[in-house]
Amino acid sequence: MSTSDTLETTAVEAPPSGPRRHYGAIVTGVLLIVAGGLWMLDALDVVELRVAIVLPTILAVVGIALIIGAFDGPHTGLVVAGVFLSLAVIAVAAAPENAFHGGIGERTIRVTDETLLAPRYDVGLGELTLNLSQLTLTESTEVAATVGAGEIRVLLPSDIPVSIEASAGAGQIDLLGQTADGISVSKTYVSDEFETAEVTLTLDLDVAAGNIEVDQ
């Protein structure tokens, strides 16, 4: 048998390599299931999610998956996901202390009685709608609202003078039709009769990244 015949036989008889496992799809599926379950528990008020805890946990899961997957070859998708998650964790760490408190999700709060009005409302990631359109007050009140990433929407009562201070790390502010957008933007609005009114409402609104909208 010639040397070329031997090489050809060896090449044919070599066992085929096993199929490469799709770590990216597996990890993504696990993260989606975990995130969906936690979000549901948060919506049911069983637990309170905090972005400052959720993001590092997800980053740790991706890091473990990369270590395990390294024995099977490179996984570009997980590397890219890890980079974006790392940037998100850094952004959360650099944000103001209260920026990402209050959990994750969509919160709609309607208050008509001043005894039920809280001094502040927080959402970490998502949308906060504060409906005060039917609110009645017997004394001046101050309310603060913060969202880490997402949107704040406030509906004002028509018969109470208001003073509003709104700021956004990055995004857009719309106070009764007066808008501003960009990076580190802030805007104020004061009713004409605010200084002379006996009962007033003061709002302090802040979003790290996203939009603020106040309407009447």
Side-chain angles (χ1 to χ4, degrees), residues 20 27 29 31 33 44 65 76 78 90 96 104 116 147 150 156 167 170 176 178 184 196 201 205 209:
R20 191 163 179 245
V27 174
L31 289 177
I33 293 172
L44 296 174
T76 307
L78 286 179
I90 293 173
I104 300 174
L116 301 177
V147 168
L156 296 175
S167 61
L176 298 170
Q178 302 179 12
S184 296
T196 58
L201 175 62
L205 311 176

Side-chain angles (χ1 to χ4, degrees), residues 49-165:
L49 300 185
R50 294 177 56 188
V51 177
I53 296 175
V54 174
L55 284 180
T57 301
I58 295 176
L59 182 60
V61 172
V62 173
I64 293 172
L66 279 172
I67 294 174
I68 297 174
F71 296 99
D72 192 41
H75 298 275
T76 307
L78 286 179
V79 173
V80 173
V83 170
F84 279 105
L85 284 170
S86 298
L87 294 175
V89 170
I90 293 173
V92 171
E97 181 180 356
N98 294 325
F100 290 91
H101 286 185
I104 300 174
E106 181 178 341
R107 306 287 173 86
T108 299
I109 302 170
R110 183 174 181 270
V111 184
T112 59
D113 190 335
E114 64 183 325
T115 61
L116 301 177
L117 186 64
R120 73 174 302 114
Y121 298 91
D122 300 307
V123 169
L125 178 64
E127 180 178 337
L128 171 62
T129 299
L130 187 57
N131 187 343
L132 306 178
S133 60
Q134 302 299 318
L135 177 65
T136 58
L137 294 178
T138 58
E139 59 182 9
S140 297
T141 304
E142 297 183 6
V143 177
T146 65
V147 168
E151 182 177 3
I152 297 175
R153 186 166 184 260
V154 181
L155 298 177
L156 296 175
S158 59
D159 57 346
I160 301 177
V162 296
S163 174
I164 308 169
E165 290 189 6

Side-chain angles (χ1 to χ4, degrees), residues 11 26 37 40 42 93 128 137 140 150 155 158 167 173 181 195 204:
I26 296 173
M40 181 181 67
D42 181 70
L128 171 62
L137 294 178
S140 297
L155 298 177
S158 59
S167 61
I173 299 174
D181 58 70
E195 296 297 335
D204 184 3

